[in-house]
Amino acid sequence: MDDARPVDTAVIGAGYVGLTVGACLADLGHRVACVEKDRLKLAALRAGRVPFHEPGLPELVRAAREHGLLSLTDDLAAAAARAPLVFVAVGTPTRGDGTADLSALQDVVEDLSPVATPQHVVVVKSTVPVGTAEWVQGVMAHAGASVAANPEFLREGSAVADFLHPARVVIGTLHDGAARLLASVYRPMQCPILVTDPRTAEMIKYASNAFLATKISFINEVAAICERLGADAAVVAQGMGADPRIGPHFLRAGVGFGGSCLPKDLRALVACARVHDVRPLLLEAVQDVNEATRQRFIDTVESALGGLRGRTLAILGLTFKGGTSDLRESPALDIALRLLDGGAVIRAFDPQVGEEITGHLPQAIRCTDAYDAGEGSDAILLLSDCPEFLHLDWRRIASRVRGRLIIDGRGLPVREVATRAGFVYLGRGDRLPVSVP
Ligand code: UGA
């Protein structure tokens, strides 16, 4: 396959991964059909709306559609029949026992099988247990199609930039032709391309997310120790991160990791290890520390206020991280629920979440902005690192609160400005204040 030649491509699943892959490939000049079977999502996309917050993606989708390079359909067979390159980017949520639910992928493979030909390369982008691409290869064997595992490393909130400027691309396949085709598609990204076998590629994805989760739990445990010793956890992280063997990323102490990937992939890896008689001691500890970190935040709120019952708490940020509208496995949401259970009154605001707040936290008061949330509150809890919170007028908030206390679960750089506005600021790794004005 000629490097420069555009490839007709189908991307199955138009979630944040599938739609990002589709729109970016179209942006690179390939003709892409994105296949989505959820009627509501498809209707929104066709009407020009991306039904989740992903910076830059709506613009990319619009431009690609205007150039006639991106189409949106629910007809998987027709899209795949026209496209030699088929990416599968459907969800693999957690089942009750922690393992990955592959039913969406199995449905796709079943639909693909009758239209597959020897010219087809089926690329598994979804995060799947080790051995899944081999299984897909087995199903496709009758048609002579090739299969590759090609895990994604896109972060929500920066998925477009991550796709176009990846740190690396991993291609797991036993077929030279498939490796060459995929390498040609990714060549414009000018990053290292690692070609390996499918099992290793699948494991690289799980190991990467597990390592990121490990870094976060590590620093959260260090922050817990810092709190007792009077050391500044943020500066400890800075000092550690300056060592290139450690690196500065994913060392921000907070309320623990959440989202649709890290917790799920960790559970799947733990479950998989146990099935194969490996006791994943470290990974189990990473999960335990993550749970303890949420509880430790709640304990801090409780100790700082002398109890939760009847206290009014302003929660700023409910998504699993700033810059997204995603509430899946959000530590903030879980903490809010536990605070409500403890008898607190919750006034909640998130710039990216509207009415959905009421669905998840029916007992909370949904506020229109941070100032409204602060009204009459005994403490402000920063639970998501939304960029909008960097520009708040803390004096205005101070004039509306009952107690001038900020408990920051995200390490936002607002200590100085909030302190100047008269707040006591308590970050992760800080000791409890003596008294709150
Ligand atoms: C994660 C990985 O970072 C991506 O590389 C991967 O492709 C993606 O999962 C996936 O498997 O699809 P994402 O779920 O978007 O991406 O979120 P992250 O940016 O990794 O953050 C995960 C959680 O860790 C968030 O709750 C975040 O607030 C928290 N976090 C992150 C910290 O508490 N401290 C940090 O220093 C960094």
Side-chain angles (χ1 to χ4, degrees):
M1 183 68 60
D2 183 344
D3 279 3
R5 201 184 304 159
V7 185
D8 276 325
T9 303
V11 181
I12 322 271
Y16 96 99
V17 172
L19 195 61
T20 302
V21 171
C24 289
L25 289 178
D27 188 54
L28 292 168
H30 304 286
R31 198 163 56 203
V32 181
C34 271
V35 182
E36 177 54 59
K37 72 173 189 182
D38 179 325
R39 286 182 183 283
L40 284 178
K41 203 188 265 181
L42 185 63
L45 289 168
R46 282 180 165 158
R49 285 192 312 277
V50 173
F52 42 87
H53 179 73
E54 193 56 55
L57 190 55
E59 295 80 356
L60 215 56
V61 169
R62 192 180 319 120
R65 291 183 76 198
E66 278 168 14
H67 289 113
L69 288 171
L70 181 68
S71 58
L72 300 157
T73 177
D74 58 359
D75 192 342
L76 185 152
R82 275 195 297 269
L85 183 57
V86 180
F87 287 93
V88 184
V90 292
T92 53
T94 300
R95 280 196 299 227
D97 60 359
T99 57
D101 177 353
L102 295 180
S103 50
L105 179 94
Q106 284 159 348
D107 289 350
V108 168
V109 170
E110 202 169 296
D111 291 348
L112 273 178
S113 176
V115 292
T117 67
Q119 282 70 47
H120 274 96
V121 175
V122 177
V123 184
V124 182
K125 258 227 166 289
S126 308
T127 301
V128 289
V130 173
T132 304
E134 271 178 20
W135 169 78
V136 178
Q137 184 64 70
V139 179
M140 295 293 159
H142 72 95
S146 312
V147 173
N150 172 219
E152 53 84 17
F153 303 101
L154 311 178
R155 289 164 297 175
E156 282 187 45
S158 55
V160 171
D162 288 348
F163 187 87
L164 294 173
H165 309 285
R168 80 306 209 181
V169 164
V170 174
I171 298 169
T173 184
L174 301 176
H175 304 269
D176 290 346
R180 272 199 305 277
L181 175 63
L182 277 172
S184 75
V185 166
Y186 284 114
R187 197 152 296 131
M189 278 70 154
Q190 296 182 328
C191 68
I193 296 179
L194 177 65
V195 180
T196 181
D197 62 85
R199 282 181 176 257
T200 306
E202 288 161 340
M203 189 63 190
I204 287 171
K205 168 66 189 210
Y206 277 109
S208 298
N209 273 1
F211 187 70
L212 293 174
T214 304
K215 279 188 101 173
I216 298 168
S217 277
F218 176 87
I219 199 64
N220 281 328
E221 187 156 291
V222 167
I225 303 170
C226 284
E227 255 168 45
R228 295 303 166 102
L229 299 180
D232 185 329
V235 180
V236 170
Q238 196 186 345
M240 287 171 58
D243 182 333
R245 292 172 302 172
I246 298 173
H249 305 292
F250 277 67
L251 285 180
R252 205 160 24 84
V255 285
F257 56 84
S260 64
C261 306
L262 261 50
K264 163 182 81 85
D265 294 349
L266 197 56
R267 276 196 295 272
L269 188 55
V270 164
C272 165
R274 285 183 187 147
V275 165
H276 290 91
D277 293 329
V278 177
R279 175 91 196 271
L281 293 167
L282 177 62
L283 301 181
E284 285 171 357
V286 169
Q287 292 177 312
D288 291 347
V289 171
N290 201 42
E291 162 57 29
T293 300
R294 293 179 185 193
Q295 188 54 47
R296 192 162 57 81
F297 183 83
I298 293 166
D299 294 344
T300 303
V301 177
E302 199 165 358
S303 325
L305 296 174
L308 294 176
R309 192 150 297 281
R311 299 293 185 171
T312 300
L313 303 171
I315 290 190
L316 302 189
L318 285 167
T319 52
F320 84 97
K321 67 174 182 181
T324 77
S325 54
D326 197 338
L327 293 168
R328 285 176 289 176
E329 299 215 27
S330 168
L333 208 51
D334 182 36
I335 288 171
L337 282 168
R338 295 192 207 182
L339 292 169
L340 280 166
D341 273 354
V345 175
I346 299 293
R347 299 179 62 81
F349 169 68
D350 188 296
Q352 298 299 341
V353 190
E355 276 169 23
E356 245 187 303
I357 290 184
T358 316
H360 288 275
L361 298 171
Q363 297 152 286
I365 300 160
R366 179 159 77 92
C367 296
T368 48
D369 57 28
Y371 308 98
D372 181 26
E375 189 69 53
S377 67
D378 295 295
I380 309 268
L381 312 184
L382 290 169
L383 288 185
S384 193
D385 49 351
C386 305
E388 293 84 347
F389 299 155
L390 300 179
H391 310 291
L392 293 174
D393 180 347
W394 287 103
R395 284 187 202 282
R396 194 170 147 210
I397 299 182
S399 70
R400 299 176 78 159
V401 298
R402 188 156 58 199
R404 290 188 181 173
L405 173 64
I406 294 172
I407 308 182
D408 183 358
R410 288 300 190 165
L412 290 171
V414 297
R415 183 190 295 267
E416 228 175 285
V417 63
T419 310
R420 259 190 275 123
F423 280 97
V424 166
Y425 172 95
L426 196 56
R428 305 312 289 142
D430 286 350
R431 281 173 197 263
L432 284 181
V434 182
S435 65
V436 178

Short mmCIF file of all heavy atoms in Angstrom, two decimals, residues 394-395 398 401 403-406 415-425 436-437:
data_model
loop_
_atom_site.label_atom_id
_atom_site.label_comp_id
_atom_site.label_asym_id
_atom_site.label_seq_id
_atom_site.Cartn_x
_atom_site.Cartn_y
_atom_site.Cartn_z
N TRP A 394 -12.84 35.06 44.03
CA TRP A 394 -12.99 34.46 45.36
C TRP A 394 -13.54 35.46 46.38
O TRP A 394 -14.19 35.09 47.34
CB TRP A 394 -11.66 33.86 45.83
CG TRP A 394 -11.35 32.59 45.07
CD1 TRP A 394 -10.47 32.44 44.06
CD2 TRP A 394 -12.00 31.32 45.23
NE1 TRP A 394 -10.50 31.14 43.57
CE2 TRP A 394 -11.44 30.44 44.28
CE3 TRP A 394 -13.00 30.84 46.07
CZ2 TRP A 394 -11.84 29.11 44.16
CZ3 TRP A 394 -13.41 29.50 45.96
CH2 TRP A 394 -12.83 28.66 45.01
N ARG A 395 -13.29 36.76 46.14
CA ARG A 395 -13.85 37.77 47.06
C ARG A 395 -15.38 37.76 46.97
O ARG A 395 -16.08 37.85 47.98
CB ARG A 395 -13.33 39.17 46.72
CG ARG A 395 -11.91 39.37 47.17
CD ARG A 395 -11.46 40.81 46.99
NE ARG A 395 -10.01 40.87 46.93
CZ ARG A 395 -9.23 40.80 48.01
NH1 ARG A 395 -9.74 40.71 49.20
NH2 ARG A 395 -7.90 40.82 47.88
N ALA A 398 -16.51 34.82 48.76
CA ALA A 398 -16.34 35.02 50.22
C ALA A 398 -17.51 35.82 50.80
O ALA A 398 -17.92 35.58 51.93
CB ALA A 398 -15.02 35.74 50.48
N VAL A 401 -20.54 33.21 51.43
CA VAL A 401 -20.46 31.96 52.20
C VAL A 401 -20.73 32.22 53.69
O VAL A 401 -20.71 33.35 54.15
CB VAL A 401 -19.07 31.30 52.05
CG1 VAL A 401 -18.79 30.94 50.61
CG2 VAL A 401 -17.96 32.20 52.61
N GLY A 403 -18.97 30.00 56.01
CA GLY A 403 -17.64 29.70 56.55
C GLY A 403 -16.61 29.83 55.44
O GLY A 403 -16.81 29.29 54.35
N ARG A 404 -15.51 30.53 55.74
CA ARG A 404 -14.53 30.76 54.66
C ARG A 404 -13.48 29.64 54.64
O ARG A 404 -12.33 29.84 55.02
CB ARG A 404 -13.87 32.11 54.85
CG ARG A 404 -14.85 33.23 54.57
CD ARG A 404 -14.16 34.55 54.55
NE ARG A 404 -15.12 35.60 54.30
CZ ARG A 404 -14.84 36.88 54.36
NH1 ARG A 404 -13.61 37.27 54.66
NH2 ARG A 404 -15.76 37.78 54.12
N LEU A 405 -13.92 28.49 54.19
CA LEU A 405 -13.03 27.33 54.13
C LEU A 405 -13.12 26.70 52.74
O LEU A 405 -14.22 26.46 52.23
CB LEU A 405 -13.45 26.30 55.18
CG LEU A 405 -12.72 24.95 55.14
CD1 LEU A 405 -11.22 25.12 55.44
CD2 LEU A 405 -13.34 23.97 56.13
N ILE A 406 -11.94 26.48 52.14
CA ILE A 406 -11.89 25.76 50.86
C ILE A 406 -11.14 24.46 51.11
O ILE A 406 -10.02 24.49 51.65
CB ILE A 406 -11.12 26.58 49.80
CG1 ILE A 406 -11.89 27.86 49.46
CG2 ILE A 406 -10.89 25.75 48.54
CD1 ILE A 406 -11.11 28.81 48.57
N ARG A 415 -4.54 28.58 45.92
CA ARG A 415 -4.29 28.81 47.35
C ARG A 415 -4.07 30.29 47.66
O ARG A 415 -4.72 30.86 48.54
CB ARG A 415 -3.05 28.01 47.80
CG ARG A 415 -2.76 28.14 49.29
CD ARG A 415 -1.40 27.54 49.63
NE ARG A 415 -1.34 26.11 49.39
CZ ARG A 415 -1.59 25.18 50.32
NH1 ARG A 415 -1.93 25.54 51.53
NH2 ARG A 415 -1.50 23.90 50.03
N GLU A 416 -3.20 30.90 46.85
CA GLU A 416 -2.81 32.28 47.15
C GLU A 416 -3.99 33.24 47.01
O GLU A 416 -4.30 34.02 47.92
CB GLU A 416 -1.73 32.70 46.17
CG GLU A 416 -0.55 33.37 46.85
CD GLU A 416 0.53 33.65 45.83
OE1 GLU A 416 1.23 32.69 45.42
OE2 GLU A 416 0.62 34.81 45.43
N VAL A 417 -4.66 33.15 45.85
CA VAL A 417 -5.75 34.09 45.58
C VAL A 417 -6.91 33.88 46.55
O VAL A 417 -7.53 34.85 47.03
CB VAL A 417 -6.18 34.00 44.09
CG1 VAL A 417 -6.74 32.66 43.72
CG2 VAL A 417 -7.16 35.07 43.72
N ALA A 418 -7.16 32.64 46.91
CA ALA A 418 -8.26 32.36 47.84
C ALA A 418 -7.89 32.84 49.25
O ALA A 418 -8.74 33.37 49.97
CB ALA A 418 -8.57 30.87 47.85
N THR A 419 -6.63 32.67 49.61
CA THR A 419 -6.20 33.11 50.94
C THR A 419 -6.31 34.64 51.03
O THR A 419 -6.76 35.18 52.05
CB THR A 419 -4.73 32.66 51.20
OG1 THR A 419 -4.64 31.27 50.90
CG2 THR A 419 -4.32 32.88 52.64
N ARG A 420 -5.93 35.30 49.93
CA ARG A 420 -6.03 36.77 49.91
C ARG A 420 -7.48 37.23 50.07
O ARG A 420 -7.76 38.29 50.60
CB ARG A 420 -5.44 37.33 48.61
CG ARG A 420 -4.02 37.89 48.85
CD ARG A 420 -3.51 38.66 47.66
NE ARG A 420 -2.90 37.74 46.71
CZ ARG A 420 -3.23 37.58 45.44
NH1 ARG A 420 -4.19 38.31 44.91
NH2 ARG A 420 -2.62 36.72 44.68
N ALA A 421 -8.41 36.39 49.57
CA ALA A 421 -9.83 36.75 49.69
C ALA A 421 -10.39 36.41 51.07
O ALA A 421 -11.58 36.57 51.31
CB ALA A 421 -10.62 36.03 48.60
N GLY A 422 -9.52 35.89 51.94
CA GLY A 422 -9.96 35.64 53.33
C GLY A 422 -10.31 34.20 53.64
O GLY A 422 -10.78 33.90 54.73
N PHE A 423 -10.07 33.31 52.68
CA PHE A 423 -10.39 31.90 52.92
C PHE A 423 -9.24 31.18 53.63
O PHE A 423 -8.07 31.54 53.44
CB PHE A 423 -10.62 31.17 51.60
CG PHE A 423 -11.99 31.38 51.01
CD1 PHE A 423 -12.20 32.34 50.03
CD2 PHE A 423 -13.07 30.61 51.44
CE1 PHE A 423 -13.45 32.54 49.48
CE2 PHE A 423 -14.33 30.81 50.89
CZ PHE A 423 -14.53 31.77 49.91
N VAL A 424 -9.58 30.16 54.41
CA VAL A 424 -8.58 29.18 54.82
C VAL A 424 -8.59 28.13 53.71
O VAL A 424 -9.66 27.63 53.33
CB VAL A 424 -8.95 28.53 56.17
CG1 VAL A 424 -8.10 27.29 56.42
CG2 VAL A 424 -8.77 29.53 57.29
N TYR A 425 -7.42 27.85 53.16
CA TYR A 425 -7.33 26.92 52.04
C TYR A 425 -6.65 25.64 52.53
O TYR A 425 -5.55 25.68 53.10
CB TYR A 425 -6.51 27.54 50.91
CG TYR A 425 -6.20 26.59 49.77
CD1 TYR A 425 -7.00 26.53 48.65
CD2 TYR A 425 -5.09 25.74 49.85
CE1 TYR A 425 -6.71 25.65 47.62
CE2 TYR A 425 -4.80 24.86 48.83
CZ TYR A 425 -5.61 24.82 47.71
OH TYR A 425 -5.32 23.94 46.70
N VAL A 436 -11.51 28.32 61.37
CA VAL A 436 -12.00 28.85 60.10
C VAL A 436 -12.69 30.19 60.35
O VAL A 436 -13.52 30.27 61.24
CB VAL A 436 -13.01 27.86 59.49
CG1 VAL A 436 -13.57 28.41 58.19
CG2 VAL A 436 -12.35 26.50 59.28
N PRO A 437 -12.32 31.26 59.58
CA PRO A 437 -12.98 32.53 59.82
C PRO A 437 -14.46 32.47 59.42
O PRO A 437 -14.81 31.76 58.51
CB PRO A 437 -12.22 33.51 58.92
CG PRO A 437 -11.31 32.75 58.06
CD PRO A 437 -11.31 31.32 58.51
#
